[in-house]
Amino acid sequence: MRTTLLIPCVLIITACSSYGTYTVRPGDSLSNIASRHNISVAELSRINNISNPNHIRAGQTLKIRGGAKVKDSRSNQNQYASNRNYKVPPANKNTDHSVQASSTYTNQPIPKMGGWHKPTQGQVIRSFNPNLPGHKGIQIAGNFNQPVNSANNGVVVYAGQGSGGFGQLVMVKHANNVYTAYGYLSSVTVREGQKVSSSQQIGTMGTSPEGKNILHFEVRVNGNPINPTRYVNF
């Protein structure tokens, strides 16, 4: 039995096909695009052959399952951020084309949440800087194949092999629209849709393209990267 996706009233149906399209805007993330279109991050990644959900760029066209090409009818970027505590930054053709969060967002209030634990043991060797490519999280050095654990209770929304990004990757959705991402894994021990508890193993530490045994760890709120140390003590 075929399931029909209902398109919200803020979208204008412009054509009929098995997939619609959506153009990524500055400030978007795969998670908030998926949420607005009522599909999972995993499905959106699969139908667009996205190996690393953290790497999309402004101006990129995504296929959206739902039987129609859709276009957002809202008139400006600020309406995209009406329910979020950040400003949508303008596109900048002279800098990195991956989606950027406002640099001021790191100082904005975040949901209060307990139950956080380190995702793995080791020293932080790269700090958070959302304005630099590859620095939207932190890097933790350790030993090859050492356990990597979920930093809090949640549900696995992505578990798969990346290419050209952060290797094998797991993403976990927590309460309050908080997400964590775990990259450069040598193995993945969970599946999409699985509930995980804080400190439960989700994989093992792998190797970066530079040959270092590290974990790339990100925390995002409403799709925007924040410094993981705001939740987790290292």
Coordinates of all heavy atoms in Angstrom, one line a residue, residues 47-48 65 100 124 129 134 136 140-141 144 149 151 158 175 178 190 206 209 212 220 223 226 233:
I47 N 17.9 9.1 -0.4 CA 17.4 9.4 -1.7 C 18.2 10.5 -2.4 O 18.1 10.7 -3.6 CB 15.9 9.9 -1.7 CG1 15.7 11.1 -0.8 CG2 15.0 8.7 -1.1 CD1 14.3 11.6 -0.8
N48 N 19.1 11.2 -1.6 CA 20.0 12.1 -2.2 C 21.5 11.7 -2.2 O 22.4 12.5 -2.6 CB 19.9 13.5 -1.5 CG 18.6 14.2 -1.8 OD1 18.4 14.8 -2.8 ND2 17.6 14.0 -0.9
R65 N 10.9 13.2 -1.2 CA 9.8 12.2 -1.5 C 8.5 12.8 -1.2 O 8.3 13.5 -0.2 CB 10.0 11.0 -0.7 CG 9.1 9.8 -1.2 CD 9.2 8.6 -0.2 NE 10.6 8.1 -0.2 CZ 11.1 7.3 -1.1 NH1 10.4 6.9 -2.1 NH2 12.3 6.9 -1.0
Q100 N 26.6 27.0 7.1 CA 27.2 27.6 8.2 C 26.2 28.0 9.2 O 25.1 28.5 8.9 CB 28.0 28.9 7.8 CG 29.1 28.6 6.8 CD 30.3 27.9 7.5 OE1 30.6 28.2 8.6 NE2 31.0 27.1 6.7
V124 N 40.9 15.9 24.0 CA 40.4 16.7 22.9 C 41.6 17.4 22.2 O 42.4 18.1 22.8 CB 39.5 17.8 23.4 CG1 39.0 18.7 22.3 CG2 38.3 17.2 24.1
N129 N 35.0 25.3 16.4 CA 35.0 26.6 15.8 C 34.0 26.5 14.6 O 34.4 26.0 13.5 CB 36.3 27.0 15.3 CG 36.3 28.5 14.8 OD1 35.3 29.0 14.3 ND2 37.5 29.1 14.8
G134 N 35.1 21.7 9.0 CA 35.6 20.5 9.8 C 35.7 20.8 11.3 O 36.2 19.9 12.0
K136 N 33.1 22.0 13.3 CA 31.8 22.2 13.8 C 31.5 21.2 15.0 O 30.4 21.0 15.4 CB 30.7 22.1 12.8 CG 30.8 23.2 11.7 CD 29.7 23.0 10.6 CE 29.8 24.2 9.6 NZ 31.1 24.1 8.9
I140 N 38.5 13.9 19.4 CA 39.0 13.3 20.6 C 39.9 12.1 20.2 O 39.5 11.2 19.5 CB 37.8 12.7 21.5 CG1 36.8 13.8 21.8 CG2 38.4 12.1 22.8 CD1 35.5 13.2 22.4
A141 N 41.2 12.2 20.7 CA 42.1 11.2 20.4 C 42.0 10.0 21.3 O 41.7 10.1 22.5 CB 43.6 11.8 20.4
F144 N 42.6 2.9 18.5 CA 41.8 2.2 17.4 C 40.9 1.2 18.1 O 41.3 0.3 18.9 CB 42.7 1.6 16.4 CG 42.0 1.1 15.2 CD1 41.4 1.9 14.3 CD2 41.8 -0.3 15.0 CE1 40.7 1.4 13.2 CE2 41.1 -0.8 13.9 CZ 40.6 0.1 13.0
N149 N 30.4 5.7 22.7 CA 29.1 5.6 23.3 C 28.2 6.8 23.1 O 28.7 7.9 22.8 CB 29.3 5.4 24.9 CG 30.3 4.3 25.2 OD1 30.3 3.3 24.7 ND2 31.2 4.7 26.2
A151 N 26.2 9.9 24.0 CA 26.4 10.8 25.0 C 25.2 11.1 25.9 O 25.3 11.7 27.0 CB 26.9 12.2 24.4
Y158 N 20.6 8.0 12.1 CA 21.5 7.7 10.9 C 22.6 6.8 11.4 O 23.3 7.1 12.4 CB 22.1 9.0 10.3 CG 22.8 8.8 9.0 CD1 22.2 8.9 7.8 CD2 24.2 8.5 9.1 CE1 22.9 8.7 6.6 CE2 24.9 8.3 7.9 CZ 24.3 8.4 6.7 OH 24.9 8.2 5.5
A175 N 16.2 14.5 23.3 CA 15.1 15.4 23.6 C 15.4 16.8 23.2 O 16.6 17.2 23.0 CB 14.8 15.3 25.1
V178 N 17.8 18.1 20.1 CA 19.2 18.1 20.2 C 19.7 16.8 19.6 O 19.2 15.7 19.8 CB 19.7 18.1 21.7 CG1 21.2 17.9 21.8 CG2 19.2 19.4 22.4
V190 N 24.9 -0.1 16.1 CA 23.5 0.2 16.3 C 22.9 0.3 14.9 O 23.6 0.4 13.9 CB 23.3 1.5 17.1 CG1 23.7 1.3 18.6 CG2 24.1 2.6 16.5
G206 N 37.7 4.9 15.0 CA 38.4 4.6 13.8 C 39.5 5.6 13.5 O 40.0 6.2 14.4
P209 N 41.4 10.7 7.9 CA 42.2 10.6 6.7 C 43.6 11.0 6.9 O 44.5 10.6 6.1 CB 41.5 11.7 5.8 CG 40.1 11.7 6.3 CD 40.2 11.5 7.8
K212 N 45.1 9.5 12.1 CA 45.0 9.6 13.5 C 43.8 8.8 14.0 O 42.7 8.8 13.4 CB 44.8 11.1 14.0 CG 46.0 12.0 13.6 CD 45.7 13.4 14.0 CE 46.9 14.3 13.7 NZ 46.6 15.7 14.0
R220 N 24.3 19.3 18.1 CA 23.6 20.3 17.3 C 22.2 20.5 18.0 O 21.6 19.6 18.5 CB 23.3 19.9 15.9 CG 24.6 19.8 15.1 CD 24.4 19.7 13.6 NE 25.7 19.8 12.9 CZ 25.9 20.6 11.8 NH1 24.9 21.3 11.3 NH2 27.1 20.6 11.3
G223 N 19.5 21.8 14.6 CA 20.2 21.7 13.4 C 21.5 22.5 13.4 O 22.3 22.5 12.4
I226 N 26.7 23.5 18.2 CA 27.1 24.2 19.4 C 28.4 23.5 19.9 O 28.7 22.4 19.6 CB 26.0 24.2 20.5 CG1 25.8 22.8 21.0 CG2 24.8 24.8 20.0 CD1 25.0 22.8 22.3
N233 N 31.4 17.5 29.9 CA 32.7 17.9 30.5 C 33.8 17.0 30.1 O 33.7 15.8 30.2 CB 32.6 17.8 32.1 CG 31.6 18.9 32.6 OD1 31.6 20.0 32.1 ND2 30.9 18.5 33.6

